[in-house]
Amino acid sequence: MSDGDFAVFAKLSNAANAADQFEAELAGLNLIRQRSGVGVPTPIGVSTLEGGAILLLEAVKDIVAARGEKHWRDIGRALARLHQVKSDVCGLHTHGYFGPIYQDNRPLREWPAFYAERRLWPRLISAIDAGHMPTAIARQVERVIARLPELCGPTPTPVLLHGDAQQNNWISTEAGALVVDPAVHFGHPELDLAYLGYWQEIPDIVLDGYREELPIDPGFAERRDLWRISGYLAAVAVAGKDYLPLLINALNRYA
């Protein structure tokens, strides 16, 4: 929509908790902008509608139609700037959403405990409750959770995470990369790095751009699918059994 030189982007939802979802998204965008300086579309606000809610953002101009090397590198650099914002604990003092799924962000000091208690267990339960989780696969998830203290690698300093940093949640412009659709909290930087390509592969230059700002632990490649398990569980819970093969492939590396 536009009015003269001013244009807005509108997100509509008829979910029962749409206003709460959009308020959490708006708070996440503001936190990213204020704490990291990484670009976000300018938030305008949330309004309730009959049977739902609407989120308004100022529309982004000059969006790149096809990303080149510069634009991929910009995503890596922007993510690294986000990760330069640090915390003493994992989580956040406000709740959020991962897509439509409620995201419990209550802080915990240790990452393995946070990943188990705030991400894997709740999303496994959601997938079971939805009727999409075979018992044998649920047992594999439980085995991975039990092994997290040995699987999670070196203890990280919690950093500000996008939380759902897949490539479609970045807008590329000639001026740089902007963040959209965050699921913000503090945690392990490798979670975001893993999510960059968990639906579609990304070029290596994204990680090259990240390394220009921050190092990546050499063990990340071995842990990449461990962090993707949380996203695949959410997909199974929301979208069904078609996403089980991705989950199973990830679990087989660790269970």
Side-chain angles (χ1 to χ4, degrees), residues 69-128:
E69 287 190 1
K70 171 192 179 301
H71 310 114
W72 288 113
R73 190 182 296 272
D74 284 345
I75 291 174
R77 289 170 174 159
L79 187 60
R81 290 198 298 275
L82 197 68
H83 290 175
Q84 290 175 40
V85 181
K86 303 184 186 304
S87 174
D88 294 330
V89 296
C90 301
L92 200 64
H93 291 287
T94 58
H95 69 271
Y97 291 87
F98 184 84
I101 292 181
Y102 180 85
Q103 181 165 279
D104 182 356
N105 291 329
R106 288 175 296 160
L108 289 171
R109 189 163 296 277
E110 300 298 329
W111 171 252
F114 182 87
Y115 190 52
E117 299 297 330
R118 304 289 190 256
R119 295 296 177 263
L120 295 186
W121 279 121
R123 293 178 186 179
L124 173 59
I125 292 168
S126 293
I128 292 171

Side-chain angles (χ1 to χ4, degrees), residues 171-211:
I171 296 175
S172 292
T173 73
E174 291 302 336
L178 284 73
V179 166
V180 293
D181 292 341
V184 172
H185 60 287
F186 286 88
H188 201 313
E190 290 180 359
L191 185 83
D192 274 350
L193 291 170
Y195 275 30
L196 282 170
Y198 84 128
W199 295 130
Q200 300 166 279
E201 289 301 317
I202 57 168
D204 291 341
I205 198 168
V206 179
L207 299 185
D208 291 341
Y210 186 95
R211 290 188 184 97

Side-chain angles (χ1 to χ4, degrees), residues 211-234:
R211 290 188 184 97
E212 291 177 9
E213 306 281 341
L214 289 174
I216 297 175
D217 188 279
F220 165 62
E222 293 300 315
R223 294 185 291 271
R224 189 193 315 255
D225 282 341
L226 180 64
W227 313 132
R228 291 176 176 176
I229 290 171
S230 58
Y232 296 149
L233 280 171

